[in-house]
Amino acid sequence: MIKIIRTSPPHQFDSEKVKRLTQEYINTKRNVWNLEYIKSALLDMSNSKCIFCECKLGEESKYIEVEHFHPKSLYPEEVLSWTNLLPICKRCNGLKRDHDTKINPIINPTVDEPKDHLFIKDYRYRGLNDIGKRTIKVLQLNDSDRLVLPRFKIGDAIAAAIESLVKVKDKINMDTKVEDENELIGKLRNLLVSCQPDSEYSTVCSYALLTDENYFEVKDYLVSQGLWDLELERLETVSLQHSLIREKIT
Ligand SMILES: [Zn+2]
């Protein structure tokens, strides 16, 4: 889970229309929020990811559902309040249901900074406080089959990739120096790209990569050769900003 900057409402959201549709919902309970321009604005806001579990929406069977952070059943007047709408996957939506977020708050990533409430260890989310713990519970963020095992697989793939880069680094000799170093830079850059906020499960990818000592071995080599450039530095900084890593890294 990462912090999301709330974008402006879609231009179709004029106050007259919002008022009229909200009243229509209150009177008829009709679905007034399932509009293409709402979905597309929400997808743009979250880089097409579920705001809670970070799965990519619009792929495979993961369709976007428009989530009302404060449930519409309890707070019908907020059914079309732009700041109350979030992009979410079917799994998370099915779990959150009518949980009363005003009485028992959970993290809203467009308002709260997730790392103030959560950290990640051994591919499981841990709560730093009541809000963090409740968020994990309500959304079942440590569901073994659906979330933790896929996280392990991603972590294992990243560990294998960075291990193979250490082998490339160890084998560098004068004849192959340029090509091997270019391979190190290119592949390390790709790994860091998977940790950026627009990548699926970026929290998990940055945890896997930036807590692996092999990453620092390759980085130290590139630094020593004057090859650690501004782009790599920027990618690493952004990854760390969005990460939920708590243990000290070198
Ligand atoms: Zn989700």
Side-chain angles (χ1 to χ4, degrees), residues 50 52-53 55 89 91-92:
C50 169
F52 292 122
C53 77
C55 73
C89 74
R91 189 202 80 91
C92 292

Side-chain angles (χ1 to χ4, degrees), residues 14-238:
D14 64 82
S15 57
E16 267 314 301
K17 188 191 271 177
V18 168
K19 231 159 125 186
R20 180 171 55 77
L21 289 174
T22 302
Q23 197 52 50
E24 185 178 336
Y25 172 72
I26 293 171
N27 294 343
T28 66
K29 294 286 170 286
R30 196 178 78 79
N31 178 332
V32 293
W33 60 88
N34 205 18
L35 300 164
E36 277 316 309
Y37 64 80
I38 292 183
K39 289 185 185 173
S40 122
L42 290 175
L43 285 173
D44 284 349
M45 180 176 82
S46 73
N47 289 302
S48 302
K49 295 197 289 185
C50 169
I51 205 101
F52 292 122
C53 77
E54 276 201 281
C55 73
K56 269 278 185 206
L57 297 167
E59 285 177 2
E60 300 157 30
S61 57
K62 291 168 186 160
Y63 295 114
I64 176 176
E65 309 219 339
V66 176
E67 146 77 353
H68 297 90
F69 185 71
H70 302 308
K72 57 187 180 299
S73 57
L74 304 175
Y75 306 99
E77 67 287 357
E78 290 182 55
V79 69
L80 278 182
S81 159
W82 175 243
T83 53
N84 196 36
L85 303 182
L86 298 172
I88 187 174
C89 74
K90 201 174 178 61
R91 189 202 80 91
C92 292
N93 203 12
L95 289 161
K96 188 172 160 292
R97 296 185 286 140
D98 290 341
H99 176 80
D100 193 334
T101 39
K102 294 205 183 186
I103 291 175
N104 293 303
I106 62 169
I107 299 168
N108 178 343
T110 64
V111 176
D112 309 305
E113 173 57 75
K115 65 182 160 204
D116 291 344
H117 306 285
L118 294 175
F119 67 102
I120 185 167
K121 187 167 188 287
D122 299 332
Y123 298 99
R124 299 177 74 82
Y125 281 111
R126 322 267 171 145
L128 286 165
N129 50 34
D130 287 348
I131 291 184
K133 286 175 188 163
R134 191 180 301 121
T135 306
I136 294 169
K137 241 181 178 167
V138 170
L139 296 166
Q140 292 289 296
L141 290 176
N142 290 328
D143 179 321
S144 294
D145 287 347
R146 294 169 77 177
L147 293 178
V148 180
L149 285 177
R151 285 180 205 148
F152 264 121
K153 282 188 186 162
I154 292 166
D156 188 53
I158 287 180
I162 192 73
E163 190 178 275
S164 77
L165 287 191
V166 169
K167 285 184 188 150
V168 172
K169 180 205 71 124
D170 288 343
K171 278 194 191 149
I172 291 178
N173 60 47
M174 287 319 286
D175 294 339
T176 64
K177 195 168 157 51
V178 172
E179 60 201 88
D180 286 346
E181 286 178 342
N182 286 346
E183 184 180 346
L184 287 185
I185 296 167
K187 289 190 171 163
L188 198 68
R189 188 193 302 120
N190 289 343
L191 286 171
L192 283 167
V193 165
S194 74
C195 305
Q196 302 302 299
D198 56 346
S199 297
E200 186 172 37
Y201 303 124
S202 59
T203 312
V204 174
C205 294
S206 51
Y207 172 73
L209 185 64
L210 300 175
T211 60
D212 191 324
E213 58 270 23
N214 286 329
Y215 168 77
F216 294 96
E217 198 174 328
V218 175
K219 178 184 171 181
D220 287 349
Y221 175 80
L222 292 176
V223 170
S224 73
Q225 300 303 305
L227 296 168
W228 182 259
D229 59 25
L230 284 175
E231 192 199 354
L232 292 169
E233 182 64 28
R234 184 189 64 78
L235 289 169
E236 186 192 72
T237 304
V238 175

